[in-house]
Amino acid sequence: MTTALRRLRNYIDGEFRDAADGRTTEVVNPATGEAYATAPLSAAADVDAAMAAAEAAFPAWRDLIPAERQKVLLKIADRFEERAEELIAAESENCGKPVALVRSEEIPPMVDQIRFFAGAARMLEGRSAGEYMEGFTSIIRREPVGVCAQVAPWNYPMMMAVWKFAPALAAGNTVVIKPSDTTPASTVLIADIIGSVLDELGHSRGVFNVLCGDRETGRLMVEHTVPAMASITGSVRAGMQVAESASKDLKRVHLELGGKAPVVVFEDTDIAKAVEDISVAGYFNAGQDCTAATRVLVQESIHDEFVAALAKAASETKTGAVDDEDVLYGPLNNANQLKQVKGFIERLPAHAKIEAGGEQVGEKGYFFAPTVVSGLKQDDEIVQHEVFGPVITVQSFSDEKQAVEWANGVEYALASSVWTKDHARAMRMSKTLDFGCVWINTHIPLVAEMPHGGFKKSGYGKDLSAYGFDDYTRIKHVMTSLDG
């Protein structure tokens, strides 16, 4: 006897629909390794329908005064709070995340971020109007770019959807968003929430659309002629493909593509406090975070003590069932990701040493033990490439110069942290570290008011903050003659 799978659907122009050709994919709960739902495998006809709906809804949404768009976003935030338990359940099943952590660490910041962008809608920035040529007045208009094609990742499907739709809608754009094929459930629920709010306040439901599907669906969205902007959070490879596809008709592109965050620990650091914070920042969400504290550089004088303390912290860190309030993280998101993490461990060079973990946990699901690997060199694969799992690597450096060289010596440049009691050193490091964020004596906190985004192969464009809002706008210069 088998349990019937729940049927998820696309959300297009205010209606939940199957794929036009009826194709579906199975959605697997990573905590059990078993399918619990089916989702549409959207193709060209579905993309056409969603883009047409967003395009038709754009003029009226664009022309709303900012205060009206703010009302919608504030109501969406309220509804997120009212339906929080539904969102928590969907995301936990989506990702195998511990229920208690979704409730405490995801719902509150998502609600706050939506409310932040509701306010940003009414704070359009531009240079002062004035006479910059005799007899003429110049003004700046900040306008929405149009329809936005957005692709969200599987590590934080619910929160990353918020990071994409909230600034886009606040700025006056309409949205077609695609969740990962492994995590569509919470985004489909978000569509129900947003659609109901748009209905209640008398706006077109075509303002927000959700397409489920795979990479081909995402490619069709990016290459479609309607969107003026494509936004993706994903791998470097995916970002390069999006940039190439978008270049064919010069779409604006917004890319957040991963990281390999250096965590630079100097000898004057409080080791116990640093280990406590770094282990949480490295293992939270099973290390499936582009900013995760997974590449630690420790000054050689405290290396052995630090590694011993970190290995002990790893051994005390718990992964497990979604309803266990003592676990820090759940499973890896999918079978392919588990295979990738295992592969990094299997290919470790002979000089590397596994200080803790290094193996799969449990008989079902995709759980992996909190892991510490020491003895690594700068050019080792596991140092240079993103593992995206609960694996913290440790290298030993001699001085500040070498720390900077090794910290910057990767292709990614999203986030970093420095651990020291020396203020001057912290300021020097914050200047020389080539990353979009530098934390000092902490790692991973984010706030809606500050930007999140990187350099180099971590992509370009900012999420969160007024900078993230600005990315979803375009600038127009209007000049008028004073001669009448």
Side-chain angles (χ1 to χ4, degrees), residues 236-439:
V236 172
R237 181 186 66 178
M240 288 179 171
Q241 291 171 345
V242 166
E244 182 178 1
S245 296
S247 70
K248 295 175 183 177
D249 59 358
L250 297 179
K251 283 184 181 69
R252 184 179 297 199
V253 179
H254 182 281
L255 303 174
E256 199 272 89
L257 305 179
K260 192 69 179 173
V263 181
V264 184
V265 182
F266 286 95
E267 61 187 359
D268 62 342
T269 300
D270 180 333
I271 293 177
K273 180 66 165 62
V275 165
E276 179 183 358
D277 292 353
I278 290 167
S279 62
V280 171
Y283 297 133
F284 188 82
N285 202 40
Q288 298 171 125
D289 191 313
C290 300
T291 62
T294 56
R295 182 168 65 105
V296 179
L297 307 171
V298 182
Q299 197 154 19
E300 58 190 10
S301 59
I302 62 167
H303 173 270
D304 293 351
E305 182 182 358
F306 184 93
V307 169
L310 186 61
K312 183 175 185 294
S315 69
E316 295 171 351
T317 298
K318 187 176 179 182
T319 180
V322 300
D323 57 354
D324 187 341
E325 295 191 1
D326 292 329
V327 306
L328 178 66
Y329 67 89
L332 295 166
N333 182 260
N334 54 75
N336 286 338
Q337 189 59 27
L338 176 61
K339 181 180 179 180
Q340 174 171 305
V341 174
K342 284 183 173 180
F344 273 101
I345 299 300
E346 292 165 358
R347 295 189 300 273
L348 284 173
H351 54 260
K353 180 182 179 182
I354 298 175
E355 303 280 355
E359 70 279 327
Q360 186 175 354
V361 177
E363 297 180 357
K364 64 178 183 178
Y366 311 130
F367 296 90
F368 200 83
T371 300
V372 177
V373 182
S374 67
L376 293 164
K377 299 179 181 179
Q378 180 66 11
D379 59 354
D380 288 337
E381 177 197 31
I382 200 169
V383 169
Q384 290 294 318
H385 297 284
E386 191 172 30
V387 178
F388 225 57
V391 179
I392 297 178
T393 64
V394 185
Q395 297 167 259
S396 174
F397 69 86
S398 58
D399 56 23
E400 187 175 319
K401 179 181 178 182
Q402 187 177 62
V404 171
E405 179 185 348
W406 286 358
N408 289 339
V410 294
E411 293 182 331
Y412 302 90
L414 181 60
S416 59
S417 64
V418 180
W419 300 74
T420 181
K421 296 176 182 176
D422 185 329
H423 177 75
R425 174 190 284 152
M427 291 298 96
R428 289 193 303 271
M429 293 292 290
S430 68
K431 175 184 176 182
T432 54
L433 286 173
D434 189 21
F435 295 84
C437 175
V438 180
W439 286 292

Side-chain angles (χ1 to χ4, degrees), residues 22 25 70 95 116 133 150 177 214 283 302 317 347 367 378 397-398 403 410 424-425 446 473 475 478:
T25 57
Q70 181 189 49
C95 308
F116 170 83
M133 178 182 291
Q150 302 182 319
I177 188 168
D214 58 8
Y283 297 133
I302 62 167
T317 298
R347 295 189 300 273
F367 296 90
Q378 180 66 11
F397 69 86
S398 58
V410 294
R425 174 190 284 152
L446 295 169
T473 68
I475 303 299
V478 179

Side-chain angles (χ1 to χ4, degrees), residues 91 95 97 106 153-157 160 183 233 285 288-290 333 388:
E91 193 72 340
C95 308
K97 294 184 181 184
E106 297 200 29
W154 48 251
N155 59 334
Y156 292 98
M160 295 301 99
T183 55
T233 299
N285 202 40
Q288 298 171 125
D289 191 313
C290 300
N333 182 260
F388 225 57

